[in-house]
Each structure stands twice: as structure tokens, then as C-alpha cells.
Amino acid sequence: MNKSMETQGRDQWSSKIGFILAAAGSAVGLGNLWKFPYTAGMNGGGAFVLIYLALIIIVGFTLMAAEIIIGRHTQLNAIGAYRKIRKGWGWVGGLGVLAGFVILSYYSVVGGWVINYIVKAATGAFSTSDINVLGGMFESLTSSTWEPIIYHGLFMAITLGIVIGGISGGIEKFSKILMPSLFIMVILIVIRSVTLPGAAEGIKFFLKPDFSAINVSTILAALGQVFFSLSLGMGCMITYGSYLSKDENIPQSATLIPLLDTGVALLAGLAILPAVFALGFDPAGGPGLVFITLPAVFAKMPMGGLFAILFFLLVLFAAITSSISLLEVVVSFVVDEWNWSRAKATTIISAAIFALGIPASLSLGVWDTIIFRDLVFFDALGFLTDQILLPLGGLMLCIFIGWVWGVDNAVKEATNGGKVKFTIAPIWGFVIKYLAPIAIGYIFITGLIG
Ligand code: TRP
């Protein structure tokens, strides 16, 4: 494979829809299905949703376009891309590669829980709607020593198996199957959820903004969620953009991907919150909403057993199309810069990420030592990525385009040298130069102090 790939040049997406589905697949993940509904539930429902939407439009679209532009322009991995445009900037991409490595180590642990929950759902373990029993079940899984590590290994093996196939033959091929299935499953679950008696309360909570619930912490929570959900701030979209052909339309792709991601986040909220209300549970249930509250909801719902399997399968598909993008960021760097074969790079990196996930998983059980502030290792990895590496990466991305490479050069790439329409380019330039770096710098600093 290597010889012929070298002579034929770099692998590319075989179609525009393939790229869109892979990039949307990267964006749609545990962030949408697990984090978004409970974060909205804890931050005033509709008020949070409204701010989230505003930030997606201002910051999300802008940075999505920015990363794809850098990737397509350089046709290189995150580190190589920054360095090719301006010497001395490779380290920004380096922070991204590091972030990808670290995020995947704990993301895969959660992905493993999801596989375990599919098994539980299929074997009828959710026959009770007693929150205490279900809470105990979740706690007992996550704090066990061996079981979650085995499932984490299984999740990493699936991720490896796809990434090793390359861009068009691996990531794109699977995204084209997994993403449409995901859309169908989420719509089926929404229909089930909103037709439950009493669902109207939940729909109202989710869609009707209560402006008194908006405050600084709502805004900060929403901005952090925008980054994580759109896979921004670590060169993921630089890497995916680097496999994009020179005649694809970047402004259009950068609009479609956030739209799809936001669509699924809203549908996930509509799938989960009305059911939670209809069956009398607490929408502010926090991170346990999907793993503890939802199984209780399924137990009380007609045909709940079937919907439980469907739901966790949906979460697994979403998690896999995201985990492959995280792995690809690291693999692409090693293949480009160290000239490793894709097979060798994928295998060795996956093994290393699996290894880092082991202490992360154990830190929720036997190794529950506080290592930083009040955080165990698992949460400390999350803090390092969400509060430090991603916002720093996003901030440097804005500074790099706005002040180092130049908005004009970026716009030239975005329009394929003037051939493609980018009507809002002046607004885009203003946001990337001033508005976005100030907003992101603000959360970065408050996140560190807070
Ligand atoms: N966006 C994914 C989710 O919502 C997670 C993810 C994939 C990610 N690649 C990323 C987050 C890059 C930050 C950066 O679950």
C-alpha cells in the first residue's frame, strides 16, 4: 500500500458527501448525545439552547471554516500545516496532536461504557426504573477494575480497525454507513419521546427560553460546548480538510457541518428531555442523565427495551465516527512527518492511547487518588483538554489567521482563488481577527482561574 500511495500522492476523500459525512461524524458524538442534553438541562433549558445557537453561528462557523482552510491549503497534518505557512508555529499544531491523543484516551473509556450498555440493554438489564438501582449499576461498571478496561480495549480496536483503512477506504466508507443510520435512529427515538403522554412540558422546557436563566456561567458553558461539539481547537478539521480536493466549496462545507451537528444536538435534546419530563425525572440530572435516567425512562416506556438498544447503538455509532477523527489527527502527523506506514502508525498509536486510558479508567475505581485540584486522573485529563488545550488551540488559530498568515490569504484559499462565493468574508475576517479571540481568550482565562 505504501509504495503505491506514495507515488499516487496523498489519500483524498472520494466525494464531497463523503467529506461532509466524515466531518459531521467527527462533530456529532458523545458531546451531542450525552453532554448537550444534560448541560442544557442544568443551565436553564431553552435559554442555554438559544445562546448555544448564537455562538455556533458566530464562533462555530468561523473556526470551522478557518481549520478547513488551513488544512486544504497545506494538504498536511496539523503540525506540518502550521509550520508550512509560518516557521515557528508548528507547536500550535503540536498542542492539537497532544489534545487528540489525550481526549481519545478517556473518550474511548466512555465509548467502552456505551458498548457495555448495549449488552445490558440487549440482555434486559434495564427492567427496573428505580434510579438507585440504575445508579448503582452505572457506578459498579465505571468503578470496576477489569470490565471497563476490556470494553475500552474493544472500543479502541474498532477505532483502529477503521482508521487503518485510510481516508477513502476506511473513515469515509464507514461514515457513509454510520451517519445515515444515526440520523434514522435519532428521528425514531424523537418520535417515540415526543409522543409520550406528558412530553409537552419537556418540549417547552427545551425550546422556550427563560431569559432570567441566562448569566455568565451559562454563556461559558455554551462556548465550551460549541468547541467540543464541533471538534474545534485541536486541528481535527485541519487534518480532515487536508484530504479535501482543491475544487471543493469550503464556505458551503463549513456551513453544512455545523448545521448537521447542531441539528443532531437539538434532536438529541428532543429525544431525551421530553421523555425525562413525561416520566417524572429530573432534567438537571447531570452526567448520569444518559446512563442512569434514560434506562429508567426506557423501563417505563412501551417498547422501551427495543428503544434502549436502539439508543445506545446510536450513541456508539456517533462515538465511533468521532473517535476515528481523534485518532486520525495523530496518525496523520506520524505518517506525514515520520514517514511511518499507516498500518504501523495506527497500531502503535492506538496501543499507546489504550495504555493511557487504563489509569483514566482505574481512577474512577481502585485508584481514586486526587491528583490535581479536586480531580482524579480521568477528570484531570478532561480539564487539561477542555479547559486548556482546546481553547488555547482555538485562540492561537484566530491569531494565526487574523494576524500572522492574514485574512486575505485565507479568503483566497476559501474561494478557490475567487471561483467560489464567500459573501460574508468581511464579517468572517472581523470575527476571526477581533471578536472570536477576545471571546475565547475570556473563557480560557476564566476557566483557568475558576
Ligand atoms: N465532537 C465530538 C463530540 O461531540 C468529540 C470530538 C471529536 C472532538 N474530535 C474532536 C472534540 C476534536 C474536540 C476536538 O463528541
Side-chain angles (χ1 to χ4, degrees):
M1 179 172 96
N2 303 310
K3 274 284 167 297
S4 71
M5 267 182 50
E6 268 165 35
T7 45
Q8 286 167 10
R10 220 155 171 265
D11 199 358
Q12 273 196 347
W13 306 109
S14 70
S15 63
K16 178 193 185 126
I17 186 72
F19 165 68
I20 303 266
L21 288 179
S26 166
V28 174
L30 297 169
N32 305 58
L33 299 172
W34 167 59
K35 228 168 161 192
F36 183 78
Y38 84 74
T39 313
M42 286 166 56
N43 286 283
F48 175 86
V49 175
L50 199 72
I51 296 190
Y52 180 80
L53 292 179
L55 288 173
I56 288 275
I57 293 168
I58 304 168
V59 180
F61 164 72
T62 308
L63 294 203
M64 179 62 67
E67 286 207 12
I68 299 174
I69 288 169
I70 293 182
R72 217 266 306 256
H73 182 74
T74 56
Q75 310 268 302
L76 284 171
N77 66 88
I79 297 181
Y82 275 102
R83 197 166 49 209
K84 182 170 175 186
I85 292 177
R86 192 58 50 91
K87 275 220 160 53
W89 278 76
W91 65 273
V92 177
L95 290 181
V97 172
L98 176 68
F101 192 93
V102 174
I103 293 175
L104 186 50
S105 72
Y106 62 82
Y107 202 86
S108 169
V109 172
V110 182
W113 302 343
V114 175
I115 301 179
N116 178 275
Y117 265 60
I118 295 174
V119 175
K120 281 192 166 70
T123 53
F126 304 142
S127 46
T128 173
S129 61
D130 184 335
I131 287 288
N132 294 321
V133 174
L134 291 162
M137 205 186 271
F138 181 61
E139 173 69 27
S140 127
L141 168 68
T142 56
S143 65
S144 303
T145 300
W146 290 106
E147 215 183 355
I149 292 176
I150 292 166
Y151 281 102
H152 157 54
L154 191 59
F155 186 88
M156 268 321 292
I158 299 173
T159 306
L160 181 163
I162 297 175
V163 171
I164 211 167
I167 299 305
S168 51
I171 296 177
E172 179 173 351
K173 198 171 100 191
F174 280 91
S175 302
K176 277 179 168 164
I177 302 167
L178 295 178
M179 290 306 287
S181 326
L182 183 152
F183 289 126
I184 294 169
M185 285 191 283
V186 79
I187 287 168
L188 283 178
I189 294 168
V190 170
I191 294 172
R192 168 70 283 187
S193 181
V194 299
T195 51
L196 288 169
E201 269 316 295
I203 301 173
K204 227 192 273 163
F205 171 76
F206 186 60
L207 294 181
K208 210 172 134 211
D210 164 13
F211 290 100
S212 68
I214 295 179
N215 56 38
V216 180
S217 75
T218 324
I219 300 174
L220 296 184
L223 189 57
Q225 179 63 19
V226 165
F227 261 88
F228 193 85
S229 190
L230 288 180
S231 304
L232 293 172
M234 52 151 279
C236 204
M237 294 300 168
I238 295 182
T239 307
Y240 271 22
S242 77
Y243 301 114
L244 196 57
S245 100
K246 284 287 182 190
D247 41 48
E248 293 296 358
N249 186 327
I250 295 180
Q252 201 183 60
S253 304
T255 314
L256 254 170
I257 298 160
L259 274 178
L260 286 170
D261 184 68
T262 307
V264 174
L266 293 178
L267 286 173
L270 273 183
I272 295 170
L273 292 171
V276 168
F277 269 84
L279 300 166
F281 293 106
D282 179 10
L289 197 61
V290 159
F291 290 105
I292 301 170
T293 315
L294 264 194
V297 169
F298 291 130
K300 281 192 166 187
M301 167 193 279
M303 298 211 314
L306 185 66
F307 279 95
I309 300 176
L310 204 61
F311 178 80
F312 285 105
L313 212 55
L314 159 79
V315 180
L316 178 66
F317 283 11
I320 284 173
T321 52
S322 299
S323 65
I324 56 182
S325 76
L326 290 160
L327 182 56
E328 179 59 29
V329 170
V330 190
V331 167
S332 141
F333 159 67
V334 173
V335 169
D336 281 352
E337 309 285 323
W338 298 350
N339 280 319
W340 287 18
S341 73
R342 173 168 281 271
K344 176 177 165 194
T346 311
T347 313
I348 293 179
I349 293 162
S350 298
I353 292 175
F354 171 67
L356 182 61
I358 293 173
S361 179
L362 292 177
S363 73
L364 301 173
V366 288
W367 181 49
D368 59 352
T369 315
I370 302 292
I371 61 155
F372 175 71
R373 292 192 185 171
D374 56 348
L375 307 174
V376 297
F377 190 64
F378 183 96
D379 301 320
L381 293 181
F383 179 86
L384 171 68
T385 55
D386 299 4
Q387 312 279 338
I388 299 177
L389 296 176
L390 294 184
L392 188 60
L395 180 63
M396 296 315 291
L397 170 71
C398 295
I399 295 174
F400 183 72
I401 291 198
W403 304 90
V404 178
W405 188 33
V407 169
D408 290 348
N409 286 323
V411 169
K412 202 184 287 166
E413 179 66 36
T415 58
N416 303 355
K419 287 201 283 290
V420 157
K421 257 216 192 107
F422 189 13
T423 334
I424 61 154
I427 303 175
W428 182 82
F430 172 78
V431 174
I432 204 134
K433 232 174 146 164
Y434 304 101
L435 193 58
I438 292 170
I440 298 163
Y442 180 72
I443 50 166
F444 179 47
I445 293 175
T446 41
L448 277 187
I449 300 169

